[in-house]
Amino acid sequence: MIADCAVYEEGQRRAGDLPLEEACEASQKDGAFVWLGVIAPSAEEFDAIAREFDLHELAVEDAIKAHQRPKVELYGETLLVVLKSARYVDSEEVIETGEILLFVNPAFIISVRHGEASALAAVRKRVEERGDLLRSGPAAVLYAILDRVVDDYEAAAQGVEDDIQEVEQQVFSPERINPAERIYKLEREVLDFHRAVAPLAQAVDQLARGHFQLIPAALHEYLRDVHDHLLRVSSRITGFRDLLTSALHATLTQVSVRQNEDMRKITAWVAILAVPTMMAGIYGMNFKYMPELGWKFGYPAALGVILVVCALLYRRFKRAGWL
Amino acid sequence: MIADCAVYEEGQRRAGDLPLEEACEASQKDGAFVWLGVIAPSAEEFDAIAREFDLHELAVEDAIKAHQRPKVELYGETLLVVLKSARYVDSEEVIETGEILLFVNPAFIISVRHGEASALAAVRKRVEERGDLLRSGPAAVLYAILDRVVDDYEAAAQGVEDDIQEVEQQVFSPERINPAERIYKLEREVLDFHRAVAPLAQAVDQLARGHFQLIPAALHEYLRDVHDHLLRVSSRITGFRDLLTSALHATLTQVSVRQNEDMRKITAWVAILAVPTMMAGIYGMNFKYMPELGWKFGYPAALGVILVVCALLYRRFKRAGWL
Amino acid sequence: MIADCAVYEEGQRRAGDLPLEEACEASQKDGAFVWLGVIAPSAEEFDAIAREFDLHELAVEDAIKAHQRPKVELYGETLLVVLKSARYVDSEEVIETGEILLFVNPAFIISVRHGEASALAAVRKRVEERGDLLRSGPAAVLYAILDRVVDDYEAAAQGVEDDIQEVEQQVFSPERINPAERIYKLEREVLDFHRAVAPLAQAVDQLARGHFQLIPAALHEYLRDVHDHLLRVSSRITGFRDLLTSALHATLTQVSVRQNEDMRKITAWVAILAVPTMMAGIYGMNFKYMPELGWKFGYPAALGVILVVCALLYRRFKRAGWL
Amino acid sequence: MIADCAVYEEGQRRAGDLPLEEACEASQKDGAFVWLGVIAPSAEEFDAIAREFDLHELAVEDAIKAHQRPKVELYGETLLVVLKSARYVDSEEVIETGEILLFVNPAFIISVRHGEASALAAVRKRVEERGDLLRSGPAAVLYAILDRVVDDYEAAAQGVEDDIQEVEQQVFSPERINPAERIYKLEREVLDFHRAVAPLAQAVDQLARGHFQLIPAALHEYLRDVHDHLLRVSSRITGFRDLLTSALHATLTQVSVRQNEDMRKITAWVAILAVPTMMAGIYGMNFKYMPELGWKFGYPAALGVILVVCALLYRRFKRAGWL
Amino acid sequence: MIADCAVYEEGQRRAGDLPLEEACEASQKDGAFVWLGVIAPSAEEFDAIAREFDLHELAVEDAIKAHQRPKVELYGETLLVVLKSARYVDSEEVIETGEILLFVNPAFIISVRHGEASALAAVRKRVEERGDLLRSGPAAVLYAILDRVVDDYEAAAQGVEDDIQEVEQQVFSPERINPAERIYKLEREVLDFHRAVAPLAQAVDQLARGHFQLIPAALHEYLRDVHDHLLRVSSRITGFRDLLTSALHATLTQVSVRQNEDMRKITAWVAILAVPTMMAGIYGMNFKYMPELGWKFGYPAALGVILVVCALLYRRFKRAGWL
């Protein structure tokens, strides 16, 4: 589906939507370029676009299948940038990833979006307000999209961090919650997230260092800024993995400690209960000559002794912290 | 066994199968090349081929023994590419690996296949439909085979991923399944898989960067695409290892948690059973003066008290989540 | 908030505080430079400064938001150095991090501090005493601040080390303390600390190797010294992580050992208590012909036997180390 | 001890053994070289050789002490290659390592062997059959020895792999074997093995890349083949370590699972035994009015009830998988 | 404290000790150099030396504080080499580290030692016996000291290895020793040791590769030898860490296995004791009609049955390996 298709000239959007062919033609003009936004295109839809803009066979395949690794690649004059977009769905503790492919050329930028995350309409609006950047051509749009996607990474990372803090509290809470499954699932999400973010850093570094003529020098500092944010997110995510591994180990320790506490509590009670059973057994013996049995207050005395011994035991266990 | 031997000219297969000597001769013609497909050759079979095509002694050894590490190596003018093929046998949760050796030269490509995975007949059919690629010479066949093998990696990786998801469910299922052995065996498979895939990425990178004259520039982008897929598979496999390690740790935690639960349940019942034993013991004492023993309803009263105490204990344990 | 603003000429502070505009003007003079110290500026405050000193848009954003990764970056002629300051709050076992941004230029150095750690007033005092260094221009101030921040890292690392030693004692103490939570939290602090320190080492290395014209050669050795200290802190922190991981594993082992000891102690007592219960049970049987029951000293003999058996068991368990 | 000393000319061994001095002299002739094989020489023995062949002081020290790290080093014109030989002693599950030092020079090769593994007599015999290789001079002998040593590595690796598979079966076998010690010891062997193999790969790579004039180009492909085998062994060994670590974790999990099973089995029996004790206790109470006690079939009825309850419990536990 | 101060000329020590000033003067002569040995100098002591020999301010700070990271650094013409010395104190299982700083210059070498390890008097004696090396100037002394320090590393590593072998025996000994604390402490020592050794390897590599003019080519081979030893020690230490980590895991497994064994032993005895209690309970019931109670040999028969059942149970548990 084509979301939006506009021609930008001298940092301004030319009024009105254009059909594909006219846009392509308009983009040939000096100082003008087209931004074509496409969402989850079908093979036929994208074939038409590819033919119009003369895109490379392999790049087109990538655009439709959408399971690429983040990368920057030059096909002839056209740069293909593949990004993973990410957003944190707190209710399911899941990072939902999408994919954005950008075909960038002096004359056009085609953005192909798969998945919900990082809607580009907002980016377009923001970019159109900054004529100074737009004058740098399609690369400025590339920067704006990268900036947005990386900002969304940070939001997703924050979501994960909040959940990790919740999990930490569960691990060490006196309540008997078993956070193992939650920790494991967060670990899996973090792994996927890492796979989305880490390769992009390298790609953006190439863009920022001026490996591609397409990127005007004025944008290098902006892209370096994006690169920096990526490194920060990336190191946070690496930290998450270490934390979650430790949290899983700590959970195991906590479970063992609790088991030990339970065992001692249980045993203390068993010991307290064993005393009356034993004493009652002794006075249940059938010897003929057991003087206590004939005493008037033998029975209450026996009960009393039992109670006292149990109370002493109870106090002792209490003091030792077993109860 | 020679599976197929054909001469390609101007991107077209010349009709008919050829005996070895004629094929070799035909390949000397400009713009023509031979693709000789061999399956698990015996030493004698391959010796004949090696003599005909003048292959290096060491390369020949590799072709027969088939326990090579994936690599690209130049012997004189002939490129030797060693690949591991892989397929996932779901019924046994095993990745079956085979080996493919390719001798590539301007005049011929000899493919030697060991093991079931990645049959090359299908690749030949597909390649013969693409005259445009075939015109690039034997390197195009090399690309087509690499492409197929890496696609099969992705299928195998998907198979492993599915099984990992099954195992995850077992780890956290309330049923008492012990997935430790399954996790361990998947880990071993994943390790082997990694050893098959990781060195190839480096080799394909060399091919894509134009280190070898044999590979025409037109194919570089295609090989970069293969390299990219390899990196993706490779990072998925690395992720599998991390997941399986975590799953093993989580299993241990789950076992401990369950043991704790069992212990508490058991103890609760022991405690409930200990009360009647203790009370019966007391009324089994032989004191002369135990007024309760003479009461008319002493016995049912004692039973009643026992029942009430047991019921209270039961309720208490139930509430505490021990039962 | 502007903390201090002074002009330095020929290694001397020119008397009196200056308003912003005059300072900026004064800095244009040869051999003079301004050091402007700002603490947690608001957007408006810093906008004024940025306009006066012509700072880059992106750098300004960084200065106000203050969640940057440590780095060194050149915007035009102005070097932006981002640092994390750190101090150890022993009462909470927490490393409190702040952020310091430095804009360095031949004519000025602007220091922006967020957070409590590494107050710069003391640095200014110390720098003003060393006219020889000050003559090297703003880079000398940069060095002095870096030196101070890194010294504070060492202090923080020492604080962590002290706590790790306390935790070690808890892990192996005979008392039943569970240090798992404390270990985990130290691990998290150490991870954050590492993220603050590690990227700075690379940045300072660039400064020390003379990548930037702004840094006079005379300062290279001083910066190499700072770099060296950073590497030392960094390797200590890495060591902390390994130690804490081991400590967590050791804790688990200790818990298991203790559980084993408890279990054996408990069982020994259960066994000792089981003997009288069993013997009492036997003499509680109602057989008509049980000769012992008729003996005069049957009862005390039975008690005696019980005591002796229990004592023997006790001794045996004591010797086996179960009690 | 001097094992063998021979002069090779034009790829042929000159008949007869030679004393040291004559051999040295003979090696000066063009196209001729000496191969001197020494086994565990004493200091005096080797001093004589060193003086005759003019070996470097440091190299001589290495040759006698024999605890070197695998390496290739050039002392003047003479190349010193240090290798670890390895063989797997299955009966003790131990990798026995020896050491081979090679002094290679255009005129001679001196092989010094410590330890049993990789006897060189067989290598000499095989080399002498290949006149074509021998014509390349001492480097051909170097290749032949390397080839043999690395082949022995593969055999040793296979031995380890077989034992790992045995251990795996023990870990997951229903029998109660504790393979922890065996796993640990294999881990130690694998670590030592890795230390023997890993540095050699780098050294052989240098030889294969033509860093040393001594190695004729014709041998580069052969050495690359050795390097390849080394990489394969090396990656297998790395895999062993990962497997053994996982096996140790899996062992712990298996022990925990078994403990859980034992505990449940035990408890089930305790519960079944507790029922008759409790019921007997109740009918052992001395209440005057207990109607059941007067019944004619009270006793068999009580026994029956006890049996039935026990049987029901037994069935229930059986079904729940506790027995 | 100045330990020794001597002038060396033409590889010979000039007779007699010299005061500082004369030594400095004497060193100016061609072919002569001073070796000044200082032990743990106070600030004043070292200030005098620094002034005499014109040492860099930063280097002086390092010399007094003595908490440097191993490194090689050039201050003007003077090379500063920082080393950690190490010795193993077996009685406390601790690696005691000291620090040695060397200021090397064509005219002098100043050695500053902190801590007990690696006394340099012995090195001086050995060096003075080798006039051939001494002729190479101060660099020869540098080599001799490095050689000694690294030899001491090997001794310390051997000490650690011996203790690790002791610990291994404890882990798998049938006695109930808990080596967790010992393992942990060894791990900490090994970490510290690694931090002392690892950075030095890189520094010595620089020296051996001829990065510094000060080191004559004749010494490069000697320094390469030192570097090699360092790599060997370094890889042994890395191996120690892996071994100790595995040992800690193995300890946990052993504890679990033992707990399992204890539990089964305990339960077996509980089961054996439960049988007489249950049977006695049954014959303690007060039913009027219990024919066995009236039998003449009822009591001994009951005792006999109890004994037989207990014996059968005992045999069964014995066979199952529970006792």
Side-chain angles (χ1 to χ4, degrees), chain C residues 130 168 172 221-222 224 228 231-232 235 242 246 254 260 264 267 281 286 288-290 292, chain E residues 56-57 67 71 73-74 176 178 181 184 187-188 195 241 262 266 283-286 293 299:
Chain C
R130 298 230 14 201
E168 283 172 7
F172 299 111
E221 271 160 10
Y222 290 87
R224 254 195 305 169
D228 230 70
L231 286 187
R232 201 167 68 217
S235 92
D242 289 334
S246 288
Q254 293 301 92
N260 203 350
R264 284 186 287 159
T267 327
N286 295 321
K288 260 202 187 117
Y289 307 100
M290 292 176 68
E292 298 96 318
Chain E
H56 190 283
E57 168 194 25
H67 280 291
K71 63 174 174 183
E73 219 155 289
L74 203 62
R176 289 160 180 288
N178 174 11
E181 187 169 4
Y184 179 82
E187 226 167 335
R188 205 179 47 196
R195 271 221 300 279
R241 287 173 64 181
D262 285 353
I266 286 161
Y283 289 114
M285 294 194 293
N286 296 322
L293 295 183
Y299 174 52

Side-chain angles (χ1 to χ4, degrees), chain A residues 158-207:
Chain A
Q158 191 54 48
V160 175
E161 187 159 328
D162 293 347
D163 277 323
I164 288 178
Q165 271 163 11
E166 265 179 61
V167 163
E168 283 171 7
Q169 278 169 8
Q170 286 186 349
V171 170
F172 299 110
S173 87
E175 286 163 62
R176 291 163 178 287
I177 303 159
N178 174 12
E181 186 168 5
R182 204 174 163 196
I183 292 172
Y184 179 83
K185 290 200 168 148
L186 277 170
E187 226 167 335
R188 205 179 47 196
E189 290 307 308
V190 165
L191 263 170
D192 282 352
F193 195 11
H194 185 78
R195 272 221 299 281
V197 171
L200 189 58
Q202 205 191 340
V204 172
D205 189 44
Q206 282 183 306
L207 296 174

Side-chain angles (χ1 to χ4, degrees), chain A residues 123-164:
Chain A
V123 180
R124 197 186 277 264
K125 209 170 266 171
R126 202 139 33 99
V127 159
E128 289 175 355
E129 284 163 8
R130 298 228 15 201
D132 57 326
L133 276 180
L134 265 181
R135 254 177 262 273
S136 304
V141 177
L142 169 61
Y143 157 68
I145 292 173
L146 280 168
D147 194 41
R148 169 65 197 270
V149 165
V150 174
D151 274 359
D152 287 353
Y153 287 168
E154 301 230 20
Q158 191 54 48
V160 175
E161 187 159 328
D162 293 347
D163 277 323
I164 288 178

Side-chain angles (χ1 to χ4, degrees), chain E residues 65-133:
Chain E
K65 272 203 284 177
H67 280 291
Q68 295 301 309
R69 218 173 142 260
K71 63 174 174 183
V72 171
E73 219 155 289
L74 203 62
Y75 287 101
E77 278 221 297
T78 304
L79 202 66
L80 169 63
V81 181
V82 181
L83 306 169
K84 295 278 179 192
S85 57
R87 73 171 185 184
Y88 194 65
V89 185
D90 200 30
S91 59
E92 304 169 37
E93 292 203 344
V94 154
I95 292 171
E96 208 185 86
T97 57
E99 194 163 322
I100 294 175
L101 295 103
L102 304 167
F103 295 85
V104 193
N105 188 288
F108 60 81
I109 177 162
I110 301 171
S111 60
V112 184
R113 180 158 67 81
H114 295 269
E116 292 304 308
S118 294
L120 298 178
V123 178
R124 196 186 278 262
K125 209 170 265 171
R126 202 140 33 99
V127 159
E128 290 176 355
E129 285 162 9
R130 297 226 20 199
D132 58 324
L133 276 180

Side-chain angles (χ1 to χ4, degrees), chain A residues 279 283 290-306, chain B residues 285-291:
Chain A
M279 287 192 64
Y283 290 113
M290 290 176 68
E292 298 97 319
L293 296 183
W295 295 352
K296 189 120 205 219
F297 296 104
Y299 174 52
L303 287 187
V305 168
I306 287 174
Chain B
M285 293 193 295
N286 296 323
F287 286 100
K288 260 198 188 123
Y289 307 100
M290 291 175 69

Side-chain angles (χ1 to χ4, degrees), chain D residues 59-73:
Chain D
V60 171
E61 240 180 69
D62 288 357
I64 298 159
K65 273 203 284 179
H67 281 291
Q68 296 301 308
R69 217 173 144 260
K71 62 174 175 184
V72 170
E73 218 155 290

Side-chain angles (χ1 to χ4, degrees), chain D residues 12-322:
Chain D
Q12 288 298 116
R13 178 180 183 142
R14 199 196 281 176
D17 275 14
L18 294 175
L20 221 56
E21 301 78 34
E22 288 181 38
C24 188
E25 224 168 275
S27 72
Q28 305 305 330
K29 231 179 90 183
D30 244 32
F33 71 92
V34 172
W35 177 3
L36 171 62
V38 192
I39 297 174
S42 66
E44 300 83 50
E45 270 182 318
F46 203 74
D47 266 2
I49 297 170
R51 253 176 289 114
E52 198 67 53
F53 290 94
D54 192 28
L55 305 175
H56 191 282
E57 169 193 24
L58 287 169
V60 171
E61 240 180 69
D62 288 357
I64 298 159
K65 273 203 284 179
H67 281 291
Q68 296 301 308
R69 217 173 144 260
K71 62 174 175 184
V72 170
E73 218 155 290
L74 203 62
Y75 287 100
E77 277 222 296
T78 305
L79 203 65
L80 168 64
V81 181
V82 181
L83 305 169
K84 296 280 180 191
S85 57
R87 74 171 184 183
Y88 194 66
V89 185
D90 199 29
S91 59
E92 304 168 39
E93 292 202 345
V94 155
I95 292 171
E96 207 185 87
T97 56
E99 193 164 323
I100 294 175
L101 295 104
L102 304 167
F103 296 84
V104 194
N105 188 287
F108 60 80
I109 177 163
I110 302 172
S111 60
V112 183
R113 179 159 68 81
H114 295 269
E116 293 304 307
S118 294
L120 298 178
V123 179
R124 197 185 277 263
K125 207 170 267 170
R126 201 141 31 100
V127 159
E128 290 174 356
E129 284 162 10
R130 297 225 22 198
D132 57 323
L133 275 180
L134 266 181
R135 255 177 262 273
S136 304
V141 177
L142 169 62
Y143 157 68
I145 292 172
L146 280 168
D147 195 40
R148 168 68 198 270
V149 165
V150 173
D151 274 0
D152 288 353
Y153 287 168
E154 302 229 20
Q158 191 53 48
V160 175
E161 186 159 330
D162 293 347
D163 277 322
I164 289 177
Q165 270 163 13
E166 265 179 61
V167 162
E168 283 171 7
Q169 278 169 10
Q170 286 187 349
V171 170
F172 300 110
S173 87
E175 287 163 62
R176 290 162 180 287
I177 303 159
N178 175 12
E181 186 169 5
R182 204 173 163 195
I183 293 173
Y184 178 83
K185 290 200 169 149
L186 277 170
E187 225 166 335
R188 205 180 45 197
E189 290 306 309
V190 165
L191 263 170
D192 282 351
F193 196 11
H194 185 77
R195 272 221 299 280
V197 171
L200 188 59
Q202 207 191 339
V204 172
D205 189 43
Q206 282 183 305
L207 296 174
R209 280 167 185 277
H211 283 202
F212 302 101
Q213 279 203 320
L214 205 69
I215 315 289
L219 284 174
H220 289 176
E221 270 160 11
Y222 289 88
L223 287 166
R224 253 194 308 169
D225 195 61
V226 172
H227 181 239
D228 231 69
H229 284 236
L230 263 173
L231 287 187
R232 201 169 66 216
V233 177
S234 191
S235 93
R236 271 178 90 181
I237 295 174
T238 310
F240 292 163
R241 287 173 64 182
D242 289 335
L243 275 181
L244 287 168
T245 303
S246 288
L248 197 55
H249 283 127
T251 302
L252 185 54
T253 310
Q254 292 302 94
V255 170
S256 294
V257 168
R258 268 182 223 150
Q259 180 155 347
N260 203 352
E261 283 167 6
D262 285 353
M263 200 181 70
R264 283 185 288 159
K265 192 180 270 175
I266 286 162
T267 327
W269 282 114
V270 167
I272 291 174
L273 281 176
V275 166
T277 307
M278 183 193 72
M279 288 192 62
I282 285 172
Y283 288 115
M285 293 193 295
N286 296 322
F287 286 101
K288 257 197 191 125
Y289 306 101
M290 291 176 68
E292 298 98 317
L293 295 183
W295 294 353
K296 188 120 204 218
F297 296 104
Y299 174 52
L303 287 187
V305 167
I306 286 174
L307 278 175
V308 166
V309 171
C310 286
L312 286 173
L313 276 176
Y314 181 82
R315 211 177 60 179
R316 195 152 173 208
F317 283 126
K318 197 82 185 175
R319 283 206 185 149
W322 288 43

